[in-house]
Amino acid sequence: ENTNNMSLIGYVFDLHSGKVLGLPGRLIMDIAGLFLIFFSVSGIFITFFPSLKRIFKFSPSGFFAAFLKILHKHHIKWCLVIFIPIIIIALTGFFMRPPFVMLLAGKEINAIFHSNPPRNDSWNDSIQSVAVDQDRETILVFAGGKLYEGKWDFSENFKKIPKRLPVHPMGSTFFEYLGGGEYLIGSFSGLFIWDRSNDEFREYFSEEIVKRFSIRKTGPYQINGGIRIGEDFLVLDYHEGMLDVETGKPFLIMPRHFKEKSVFSLWHFLFEIHNGRFARSFIGKWYILHNPVVALGTIIVMFTGLQILIKRKKRLET
């Protein structure tokens, strides 16, 4: 069957997790991640122990000596076996967070090498948001940074709408049909009204017409969702919480005692460490460089270690 191009961002994310190769690829990347932890620990021992030995005049013996020998042996052996998956993890991780994820925004790649490539008039990415158009009797779906439309009784295939919308590369977080041919679209780029009848976009809070939209920038409001309760419409901003839709100002501020005593899941805690956002409390806005620096450092360490190993092997052969 013919395949479509998929977003470059989606492909890089799937390459990072191993999804491009299906379950085997996911297992390979999981194993590579575990070995990366081992290499970090064994690398510290191999690099710094000779210095500690000189400083403290300490010579390992017995179990500790055997332990160091095992670390050194398997560090070299398994690094060669798992070298490529770790480089892929680091290289894709470099482009998975701002600012470098913006370099991938709006670009596509042929998904022929993907284990589950998108097919014509369909998608293989997770659905981000959905709107029901009662006037057209259609359903509009945001998936993989693209917009698809099909009949609400599913009597025909969904088709991609070739339209560039003011949506952040991270995807749409809110999508609703307002009536009269107008849609409300929210993402980290802000909140916009799309007038489909004249193909016009307006910023929701200021009502200014948007003539040029840069997909690489976040807006003053980073919309994380929206909800209607009776006559009230609440918009959720990523940093500010609930926003007053009339003024764009935050309200219902989280009580201090709740903020100090609240907890969140272990999964989210580990994810905050993984994406570097935990460092925001220590280094401020520079936390955004955490992932690129760690990824670049991993690549440098892996290649320099390989070079040292090759030079050592040549020296032994001569």
Side-chain angles (χ1 to χ4, degrees):
E1 295 181 278
N2 293 329
T3 59
N4 286 336
N5 289 345
M6 67 180 296
S7 68
L8 185 55
I9 289 179
Y11 193 85
V12 168
F13 272 61
D14 288 353
L15 191 61
H16 183 80
S17 66
K19 187 179 176 181
V20 290
L21 298 179
L23 180 59
R26 288 177 179 271
L27 292 176
I28 290 173
M29 288 307 184
D30 288 343
I31 293 172
L34 292 175
F35 270 105
L36 186 56
I37 297 174
F38 170 77
F39 297 148
S40 300
V41 174
S42 59
I44 290 174
F45 274 95
I46 293 171
T47 303
F48 293 105
F49 185 77
S51 300
L52 295 176
K53 183 178 177 180
R54 288 193 300 269
I55 294 173
F56 297 103
K57 308 298 182 183
F58 172 69
S59 297
S61 60
F63 174 79
F64 190 56
F67 174 70
L68 290 176
K69 186 176 181 180
I70 291 173
L71 284 182
H72 194 278
K73 175 182 177 182
H74 290 287
H75 181 94
I76 296 174
K77 177 181 178 181
W78 287 107
C79 261
L80 294 175
V81 174
I82 212 75
F83 182 86
I84 293 178
I86 290 181
I87 291 298
I88 292 175
I89 289 175
L91 188 60
T92 52
F94 183 87
F95 291 99
M96 287 183 67
R97 291 280 296 157
F100 296 105
V101 69
M102 300 304 180
L103 298 176
L104 311 181
K107 296 182 176 62
E108 295 186 343
I109 187 172
N110 193 308
I112 190 172
F113 297 112
H114 200 289
S115 63
N116 184 28
R119 296 175 175 82
N120 290 329
D121 297 331
S122 66
W123 62 86
N124 71 335
D125 297 279
S126 300
I127 295 176
Q128 297 165 346
S129 57
V130 177
V132 178
D133 189 328
Q134 295 91 343
D135 296 326
R136 292 172 177 259
E137 297 185 352
T138 60
I139 298 176
L140 287 87
V141 176
F142 264 112
K146 299 176 184 177
L147 183 61
Y148 302 84
E149 184 176 27
K151 288 293 184 180
W152 65 7
D153 60 359
F154 303 101
S155 58
E156 61 181 35
N157 291 335
F158 279 71
K159 297 181 179 180
K160 184 171 63 176
I161 299 178
K163 178 64 184 174
R164 187 181 182 186
L165 302 174
V167 175
H168 192 268
M170 298 302 291
S172 168
T173 54
F174 184 78
F175 193 29
E176 182 183 54
Y177 181 60
L178 300 177
E182 292 189 337
Y183 302 82
L184 193 58
I185 304 171
S187 72
F188 278 12
S189 291
L191 191 63
F192 299 88
I193 294 177
W194 175 28
D195 188 343
R196 195 171 180 181
S197 59
N198 57 17
D199 204 20
E200 184 177 83
F201 295 99
R202 302 194 309 274
E203 205 280 326
Y204 182 83
F205 294 104
S206 66
E207 296 189 352
E208 294 181 0
I209 302 297
V210 179
K211 296 182 178 180
R212 297 185 62 184
F213 172 73
S214 175
I215 198 172
R216 303 178 187 275
K217 296 181 179 179
T218 57
Y221 301 100
Q222 296 185 30
I223 304 302
N224 208 35
I227 185 173
R228 292 190 183 275
I229 303 177
E231 299 293 328
D232 298 323
F233 176 43
L234 306 178
V235 178
L236 307 177
D237 180 81
Y238 184 79
H239 295 293
E240 302 295 338
M242 289 186 179
L243 297 180
D244 184 342
V245 294
E246 300 296 331
T247 63
K249 302 296 183 181
F251 70 105
L252 294 179
I253 304 298
M254 182 184 296
R256 181 178 178 181
H257 69 277
F258 183 82
K259 188 174 183 180
E260 292 175 349
K261 295 182 179 181
S262 62
V263 297
F264 63 115
S265 70
L266 178 60
W267 186 94
H268 282 94
F269 173 74
L270 295 176
F271 188 67
E272 292 296 290
I273 295 177
H274 183 78
N275 61 31
R277 201 152 38 218
F278 80 100
R280 186 173 185 175
S281 301
F282 310 107
I283 58 178
K285 63 181 181 180
W286 297 105
Y287 85 95
I288 202 171
L289 297 177
H290 173 274
N291 274 30
V293 170
V294 171
L296 189 60
T298 301
I299 294 172
I300 292 173
V301 168
M302 292 296 291
F303 275 105
T304 53
L306 181 62
Q307 185 180 22
I308 291 172
L309 181 61
I310 293 173
K311 286 186 176 180
R312 180 182 298 172
K313 186 176 179 180
K314 289 181 177 180
R315 188 167 59 247
L316 293 175
E317 289 176 349
T318 56

